């Protein structure tokens, strides 16, 4: 193979091995499969020395997966250009039914040379730590919701009714300790349903406490505080959004940000016909869920509550004015869309997008 200034390297990574293929920048150059290598740093250094002898500038690419971004950080530290691409954004032929690591590595190298790939943002180490905590919070949140549903279903079987309204609150959990069932077997089953609710509530509180503590050592405390100026965006929502998106300066326009969040509607247009469908949901799911969760607050009339007032007290007057302007505008927009007969969930997603 002739010497080329740029060498494109495709990698198909797994837990114990990485399949590697390379192709030169020259037109018509053949894609060369280099075979699998280990995942240790010594194996990676040996590969880089071999590739740099053929091309001084390396452009590496691999699919995002469960192994994280350690390979991206290591290759970037060694001076190579590295892209991480989402598997859903890799072009594939409809009739291709053969999938091997060798073929995938060759395919990535060929697409990287042709410019048909779109990279995702590789987070820094502290961003990854905040992202890990925010995603760890989602697991007990989901399990707590399921545990509460099972407890309520069990409580209805003996034709019992709860007098409180806030299920899962501390007062409600204390009241469950005084509940008595007709038989010992029912009492045992009732306690087995109560224990997961209590355990997941404590687990959720621990993670939220650590998430707030992580903000003090993170590089985005001003961004988190500024996001909390908006109604419905508390600390957990702000940290989850900031950790999932990273530096917002990498987006040139709000449309690019909405596309990364997956908050843009799908579209089918052919000739004079144009039809929009549901959300694409191809972007960052944790940040999208956090924004939609916070957008439900705009279904109420504009109001500066006591928690929001405490958050605004730490911010400049310009951000406080922007927060009130957003409340008035989004609340009016919510009522307008609801008056047009839109579904409440569609309207809330529109609020999250704005």
């Amino acid at each position: 193979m002739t010497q080329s200034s740029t060498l494109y390297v495709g990698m198909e990574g797994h837990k114990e091995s990485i399949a590697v293929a390379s192709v030169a920048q020259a037109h018509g150059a053949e894609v060369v499969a280099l075979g699998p290598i280990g995942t240790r740093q010594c194996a990676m250094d040996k590969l880089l020395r071999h590739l740099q002898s053929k091309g001084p500038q390396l452009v590496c690419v691999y699919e995002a997966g469960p192994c994280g971004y350690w390979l991206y950080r290591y290759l970037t530290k060694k001076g190579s250009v590295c892209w991480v691409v989402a598997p859903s954004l890799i072009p594939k032929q409809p009739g291709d039914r053969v999938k091997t690591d060798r073929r995938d590595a060759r395919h990535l190298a060929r697409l990287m040379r042709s410019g048909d790939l779109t990279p995702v943002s590789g987070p820094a180490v502290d961003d990854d730590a905040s992202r890990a905590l925010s995603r760890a919070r989602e697991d007990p949140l989901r399990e707590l919701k399921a545990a509460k549903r099972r407890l309520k279903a069990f409580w209805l079987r003996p034709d019992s009714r709860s007098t409180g309204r806030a299920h899962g609150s501390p007062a409600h959990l204390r009241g469950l300790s005084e509940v008595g069932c007709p038989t010992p077997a029912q009492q045992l089953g009732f306690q087995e349903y109560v224990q997961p609710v209590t355990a997941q509530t404590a687990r959720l509180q621990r993670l939220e406490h650590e998430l707030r503590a992580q903000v003090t050592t993170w590089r985005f405390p001003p961004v988190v505080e500024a996001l909390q100026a908006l109604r419905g965006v508390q600390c957990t929502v702000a940290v989850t959004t900031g950790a999932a998106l990273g530096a917002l300066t990498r987006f040139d326009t709000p449309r690019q940000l909405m596309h990364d969040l997956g908050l843009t509607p799908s579209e089918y247009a052919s000739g004079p016909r144009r039809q929009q469908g549901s959300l694409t949901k191809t972007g960052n799911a944790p940040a999208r869920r956090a924004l939609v969760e916070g957008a439900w607050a705009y279904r109420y009339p504009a109001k500066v509550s006591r928690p929001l007032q405490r958050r605004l007290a730490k911010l400049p007057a310009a951000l406080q004015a922007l927060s009130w302007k957003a409340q008035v505008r989004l609340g009016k927009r919510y009522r307008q869309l609801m008056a047009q007969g839109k579904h409440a969930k569609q309207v809330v997603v529109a609020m999250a997008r704005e």
Side-chain angles (χ1 to χ4, degrees):
M1 186 175 66
T2 59
Q3 184 87 3
S4 178
S5 60
T6 304
L7 197 65
Y8 298 96
V9 184
M11 297 181 175
E12 178 68 16
H14 296 283
K15 179 181 178 181
E16 300 293 341
S17 65
I18 301 175
V20 183
S22 64
V23 61
Q25 186 180 12
H27 178 72
E30 182 182 358
V31 182
V32 179
L34 304 178
I37 63 170
T39 55
R40 296 183 180 274
Q41 293 184 1
C42 57
M44 191 60 58
D45 292 338
K46 182 180 179 180
L47 173 68
L48 291 177
R49 288 193 299 268
H50 173 71
L51 293 174
Q52 287 173 352
S53 65
K54 299 183 178 182
Q57 183 179 0
L58 300 180
V59 180
C60 306
V61 59
Y62 69 95
E63 294 183 14
C67 295
Y69 293 90
W70 71 268
L71 183 58
Y72 164 81
R73 298 192 187 100
Y74 188 76
L75 292 175
T76 305
K77 182 180 178 181
K78 289 294 183 179
S80 301
V81 178
C82 184
W83 281 19
V84 184
V85 296
S88 59
L89 299 179
I90 299 177
K92 295 181 181 179
Q93 296 181 358
D96 191 1
R97 301 289 182 177
V98 179
K99 183 188 185 305
T100 63
D101 293 344
R102 176 190 174 113
R103 287 171 62 95
D104 289 345
R106 290 167 58 93
H107 188 54
L108 285 173
R110 190 180 297 109
L111 290 175
M112 190 66 188
R113 183 181 63 173
S114 62
D116 292 331
L117 296 178
T118 303
V120 298
S121 176
V125 177
D126 55 347
D127 296 346
D128 212 1
S130 300
R131 182 180 295 185
L133 273 179
S134 63
R135 291 186 177 181
R137 175 184 169 269
E138 293 183 3
D139 294 332
L141 198 62
R142 185 165 47 247
E143 294 173 9
L144 178 61
K145 183 179 180 181
K148 288 180 180 179
R149 184 172 61 250
R150 289 191 291 265
L151 176 61
K152 291 174 67 176
F154 178 87
W155 190 233
L156 286 175
R157 292 169 196 163
D159 196 22
S160 302
R161 296 292 185 272
S162 176
T163 57
R165 297 182 61 185
H167 294 280
S169 63
H172 182 249
L173 293 178
R174 288 193 300 269
L176 291 177
S177 61
E178 303 175 359
V179 173
C181 295
T183 64
Q186 286 178 318
Q187 186 68 33
L188 178 62
F190 176 73
Q191 293 299 326
E192 291 294 334
Y193 280 112
V194 171
Q195 287 181 4
V197 176
T198 307
Q200 295 301 331
T201 301
R203 181 185 173 193
L204 183 62
Q205 291 174 352
R206 288 196 304 269
L207 286 171
E208 288 182 347
H209 176 74
E210 292 296 329
L211 197 62
R212 295 188 186 96
Q214 175 69 16
V215 178
T216 59
T217 60
W218 198 22
R219 62 178 179 138
F220 289 141
V223 178
V224 174
E225 292 180 358
L227 287 175
Q228 291 184 74
L230 297 173
R231 185 179 184 181
V233 182
Q234 300 179 1
C235 182
T236 52
V237 176
V239 175
T240 301
T241 305
L245 296 177
L248 297 178
T249 54
R250 62 190 179 93
F251 301 105
D252 297 330
T253 61
R255 187 179 297 274
Q256 292 181 1
L257 174 60
M258 293 303 103
H259 179 72
D260 187 78
L261 288 170
L263 284 173
T264 54
S266 58
E267 183 176 348
Y268 177 83
S270 178
R273 180 183 178 186
R274 180 175 178 267
Q275 181 179 359
Q276 288 186 320
S278 59
L279 296 180
T280 57
K281 293 185 180 181
T282 57
N284 201 304
R288 182 173 63 250
R289 284 195 297 268
L291 287 176
V292 173
E293 178 184 347
W296 281 100
Y298 291 98
R299 68 185 188 274
Y300 301 112
K303 175 186 177 182
V304 180
S305 61
R306 184 171 299 178
L308 180 59
Q309 191 175 12
R310 286 197 297 265
R311 300 200 302 265
L312 290 174
K314 307 175 185 178
L315 300 176
L319 282 178
Q320 296 182 22
L322 185 63
S323 172
W324 178 249
K325 181 180 178 181
Q327 273 209 63
V328 175
R329 183 177 64 85
L330 293 179
K332 181 180 179 181
R333 180 66 174 163
Y334 179 88
R335 292 189 294 272
Q336 288 177 346
L337 293 177
M338 290 295 294
Q340 294 176 8
K342 301 288 185 181
H343 194 276
K345 292 183 178 180
Q346 292 179 325
V347 177
V348 168
V349 170
M351 299 301 100
R353 182 167 55 246
E354 293 198 24

